[in-house]
Amino acid sequence: MPPTSGLPADFLFGAATAAYQIEGAVAVDGRGASIWDVFSHTPGKTLNGDTGDRATDHYHRWAEDFDLVAGLGLDAYRFSIAWPRIQPDGRGAARPEGLAFYERLVDGLLDRGVQPVATLYHWDLPQALQEEGGWLSRETASRFADYAVRVADVLGDRIRLWTTLNEPWCSAFLGHGSGEMAPGLRDGESALRAAHHLNLAHGLGVQALRASRPDAEVSVTLNLHTVRDAPGSKVDGARRVDAVGNRVFTGPMLRGEYPADLLRDTAAITDWSFVHDGDLAVIAQPLDSLGVNYYHSELVAPAPAGESADPDAMAAFPGCADLRFLPYEPPLTDMGWNIDPDALEELLVDLHTEFPGIPLMVTENGAAFPDVVTEGRVLDDDRIAYLSSHIAATVRAVNRGADVRGYFAWSLLDNFEWALGYSKRFGLVRVDYDTFERTVKDSGIWYRDLIRTVKAGADDEG
Ligand code: IFM
């Protein structure tokens, strides 16, 4: 078990999921199509042509899943609301069946003594809005605020902690730059434009949530890149990746400005004229916390001679075509990512130093591994080691003064890992995709015991 002394008594231990990755039931109760339905059904876009059509069937099995949540002793559960269940076309009246499903989820959590933490947007834009331009259109930001208010009006009496967007970097840059994710566009200008409209959606969304529920606690979750220059590298690659990977969001959201170096680095790609007067003031809403998703770190160096013109290699990082990420040093997870808990510690301490007034929350952290399934048991010591070392890193950051209020393991369940389909398993609970049977993995049991130990220590002190 990692040392946990120093954590605040009300520190939240939780687990996270996202609607499209677990719910299934995509054509049930009037749900509209999302960009991920269309993308995953497009040949060649996901591994083995996997889709979220059935996913883990959480839509029908949520009660069983929440019994597992309660059994693990989680303080909180982070989930996302599928916009197309609420507004199938992305606009107009909220669909009662959609709201009722999320009321069942929220009430089911509260009945089990678990705090619900709701994310409004985890990548499943209604396809109807995509057909009107999606995140390339400013109007989508206003649609998002309208959706936010309709959800908060109904669920806001029971949900205290809201997250506007999950990982807008992926929506903007993997969705519009490299095309690895829905809607699958490959254009640097579009990625930057989409990033701005996501920023605007966030700001309008915070305003909408607070207009509906003045007592709402509002956050956003960012996947911040922890990137260092490779030893001996003479180009300022880490600064440039940080600009287009991180500060493109933290700048406007937390400082009310796009960083001057980002504007300079991308001047050949866009003139940023999609930023209108007054947008930055809307985006820079005060936040109650900042969610941080962390999985791995990067080293960046100049591209080898002759390769710097390849437009595909760094398509998700507009303005960085002359850079390359170094191959990861083992040990690696099943995603091929490195394991670097120290980078999480540094990230949390750095964020606290840079934005001292904002409490932090690790809203996702975890690892995919090829689990060993034996009779009635799932052996995943590598996941236990990963979680343990990253919780230890979080505790070290807290003891260095970072104001971290919670840690959410990704994920409660094995699920649909986007373009990689069902090939990667991140869950504390294994899902058999043929029978939908759930089995708590050794890591789930380990996490339960850790939470129990932490709570028992807090009780002894209290
Ligand atoms: O599965 C994803 C999740 O949807 C967003 N954060 C990263 C996870 C693992 O890749």
mmCIF file of all heavy atoms in Angstrom, residues 131-146:
data_model
loop_
_atom_site.group_PDB
_atom_site.id
_atom_site.type_symbol
_atom_site.label_atom_id
_atom_site.label_comp_id
_atom_site.label_asym_id
_atom_site.label_seq_id
_atom_site.Cartn_x
_atom_site.Cartn_y
_atom_site.Cartn_z
ATOM 1 N N GLU A 131 -23.235 18.041 -38.211
ATOM 2 C CA GLU A 131 -23.637 18.358 -39.583
ATOM 3 C C GLU A 131 -23.824 19.858 -39.794
ATOM 4 O O GLU A 131 -23.837 20.347 -40.914
ATOM 5 C CB GLU A 131 -24.880 17.544 -39.960
ATOM 6 C CG GLU A 131 -24.451 16.123 -40.298
ATOM 7 C CD GLU A 131 -25.524 15.058 -40.165
ATOM 8 O OE1 GLU A 131 -26.720 15.417 -40.219
ATOM 9 O OE2 GLU A 131 -25.156 13.875 -39.996
ATOM 10 N N GLU A 132 -23.890 20.611 -38.693
ATOM 11 C CA GLU A 132 -23.951 22.080 -38.811
ATOM 12 C C GLU A 132 -22.569 22.698 -38.553
ATOM 13 O O GLU A 132 -22.462 23.896 -38.324
ATOM 14 C CB GLU A 132 -24.961 22.635 -37.807
ATOM 15 C CG GLU A 132 -26.383 22.191 -38.093
ATOM 16 C CD GLU A 132 -27.356 22.556 -36.970
ATOM 17 O OE1 GLU A 132 -27.071 23.492 -36.199
ATOM 18 O OE2 GLU A 132 -28.386 21.876 -36.863
ATOM 19 N N GLY A 133 -21.535 21.867 -38.528
ATOM 20 C CA GLY A 133 -20.177 22.401 -38.328
ATOM 21 C C GLY A 133 -19.493 21.889 -37.079
ATOM 22 O O GLY A 133 -18.281 22.015 -36.933
ATOM 23 N N GLY A 134 -20.243 21.345 -36.143
ATOM 24 C CA GLY A 134 -19.633 20.787 -34.933
ATOM 25 C C GLY A 134 -18.808 21.841 -34.200
ATOM 26 O O GLY A 134 -19.199 23.007 -34.104
ATOM 27 N N TRP A 135 -17.649 21.438 -33.720
ATOM 28 C CA TRP A 135 -16.813 22.366 -32.931
ATOM 29 C C TRP A 135 -16.121 23.401 -33.804
ATOM 30 O O TRP A 135 -15.439 24.285 -33.288
ATOM 31 C CB TRP A 135 -15.818 21.595 -32.064
ATOM 32 C CG TRP A 135 -16.494 20.874 -30.953
ATOM 33 C CD1 TRP A 135 -16.592 19.534 -30.780
ATOM 34 C CD2 TRP A 135 -17.213 21.465 -29.844
ATOM 35 N NE1 TRP A 135 -17.329 19.240 -29.656
ATOM 36 C CE2 TRP A 135 -17.718 20.404 -29.066
ATOM 37 C CE3 TRP A 135 -17.496 22.777 -29.455
ATOM 38 C CZ2 TRP A 135 -18.476 20.617 -27.900
ATOM 39 C CZ3 TRP A 135 -18.248 22.993 -28.297
ATOM 40 C CH2 TRP A 135 -18.727 21.927 -27.538
ATOM 41 N N LEU A 136 -16.307 23.311 -35.112
ATOM 42 C CA LEU A 136 -15.780 24.387 -35.974
ATOM 43 C C LEU A 136 -16.737 25.571 -36.011
ATOM 44 O O LEU A 136 -16.391 26.634 -36.521
ATOM 45 C CB LEU A 136 -15.533 23.855 -37.395
ATOM 46 C CG LEU A 136 -14.518 22.724 -37.472
ATOM 47 C CD1 LEU A 136 -14.300 22.289 -38.914
ATOM 48 C CD2 LEU A 136 -13.191 23.164 -36.847
ATOM 49 N N SER A 137 -17.921 25.372 -35.474
ATOM 50 C CA SER A 137 -18.927 26.437 -35.468
ATOM 51 C C SER A 137 -19.040 27.033 -34.057
ATOM 52 O O SER A 137 -19.190 26.303 -33.080
ATOM 53 C CB SER A 137 -20.273 25.835 -35.906
ATOM 54 O OG SER A 137 -21.326 26.687 -35.542
ATOM 55 N N ARG A 138 -19.043 28.353 -33.954
ATOM 56 C CA ARG A 138 -19.244 29.029 -32.654
ATOM 57 C C ARG A 138 -20.565 28.641 -32.028
ATOM 58 O O ARG A 138 -20.703 28.573 -30.817
ATOM 59 C CB ARG A 138 -19.324 30.544 -32.875
ATOM 60 C CG ARG A 138 -18.119 31.312 -32.890
ATOM 61 C CD ARG A 138 -18.452 32.777 -33.121
ATOM 62 N NE ARG A 138 -18.782 33.503 -31.894
ATOM 63 C CZ ARG A 138 -17.898 33.899 -31.007
ATOM 64 N NH1 ARG A 138 -16.627 33.657 -31.159
ATOM 65 N NH2 ARG A 138 -18.274 34.545 -29.919
ATOM 66 N N GLU A 139 -21.547 28.423 -32.888
ATOM 67 C CA GLU A 139 -22.901 28.137 -32.413
ATOM 68 C C GLU A 139 -22.925 26.904 -31.493
ATOM 69 O O GLU A 139 -23.743 26.821 -30.580
ATOM 70 C CB GLU A 139 -23.814 27.949 -33.645
ATOM 71 C CG GLU A 139 -25.225 27.507 -33.377
ATOM 72 C CD GLU A 139 -26.055 28.509 -32.583
ATOM 73 O OE1 GLU A 139 -25.603 29.659 -32.404
ATOM 74 O OE2 GLU A 139 -27.133 28.106 -32.098
ATOM 75 N N THR A 140 -22.010 25.968 -31.738
ATOM 76 C CA THR A 140 -21.998 24.751 -30.908
ATOM 77 C C THR A 140 -21.729 25.102 -29.434
ATOM 78 O O THR A 140 -22.259 24.446 -28.532
ATOM 79 C CB THR A 140 -20.952 23.759 -31.450
ATOM 80 O OG1 THR A 140 -21.322 23.438 -32.791
ATOM 81 C CG2 THR A 140 -20.879 22.477 -30.640
ATOM 82 N N ALA A 141 -20.952 26.141 -29.204
ATOM 83 C CA ALA A 141 -20.690 26.558 -27.817
ATOM 84 C C ALA A 141 -21.985 27.019 -27.147
ATOM 85 O O ALA A 141 -22.247 26.708 -25.975
ATOM 86 C CB ALA A 141 -19.637 27.663 -27.797
ATOM 87 N N SER A 142 -22.801 27.748 -27.887
ATOM 88 C CA SER A 142 -24.084 28.201 -27.313
ATOM 89 C C SER A 142 -25.034 27.028 -27.107
ATOM 90 O O SER A 142 -25.770 26.969 -26.122
ATOM 91 C CB SER A 142 -24.759 29.223 -28.233
ATOM 92 O OG SER A 142 -23.891 30.283 -28.470
ATOM 93 N N ARG A 143 -24.990 26.078 -28.048
ATOM 94 C CA ARG A 143 -25.835 24.875 -27.887
ATOM 95 C C ARG A 143 -25.433 24.136 -26.604
ATOM 96 O O ARG A 143 -26.263 23.618 -25.879
ATOM 97 C CB ARG A 143 -25.674 23.930 -29.080
ATOM 98 C CG ARG A 143 -26.127 24.364 -30.436
ATOM 99 C CD ARG A 143 -27.649 24.449 -30.556
ATOM 100 N NE ARG A 143 -28.072 25.812 -30.490
ATOM 101 C CZ ARG A 143 -28.876 26.349 -29.569
ATOM 102 N NH1 ARG A 143 -29.406 25.605 -28.639
ATOM 103 N NH2 ARG A 143 -29.193 27.611 -29.555
ATOM 104 N N PHE A 144 -24.107 24.078 -26.364
ATOM 105 C CA PHE A 144 -23.625 23.371 -25.171
ATOM 106 C C PHE A 144 -24.155 24.045 -23.897
ATOM 107 O O PHE A 144 -24.595 23.368 -22.958
ATOM 108 C CB PHE A 144 -22.089 23.358 -25.161
ATOM 109 C CG PHE A 144 -21.505 22.735 -23.922
ATOM 110 C CD1 PHE A 144 -21.529 21.363 -23.727
ATOM 111 C CD2 PHE A 144 -20.935 23.519 -22.923
ATOM 112 C CE1 PHE A 144 -21.011 20.777 -22.578
ATOM 113 C CE2 PHE A 144 -20.414 22.955 -21.771
ATOM 114 C CZ PHE A 144 -20.447 21.579 -21.600
ATOM 115 N N ALA A 145 -24.162 25.379 -23.878
ATOM 116 C CA ALA A 145 -24.642 26.085 -22.686
ATOM 117 C C ALA A 145 -26.129 25.807 -22.468
ATOM 118 O O ALA A 145 -26.590 25.626 -21.328
ATOM 119 C CB ALA A 145 -24.386 27.581 -22.836
ATOM 120 N N ASP A 146 -26.860 25.727 -23.565
ATOM 121 C CA ASP A 146 -28.296 25.451 -23.468
ATOM 122 C C ASP A 146 -28.526 24.035 -22.920
ATOM 123 O O ASP A 146 -29.370 23.814 -22.041
ATOM 124 C CB ASP A 146 -28.921 25.606 -24.861
ATOM 125 C CG ASP A 146 -30.382 25.247 -24.854
ATOM 126 O OD1 ASP A 146 -31.167 25.954 -24.205
ATOM 127 O OD2 ASP A 146 -30.761 24.234 -25.504
#
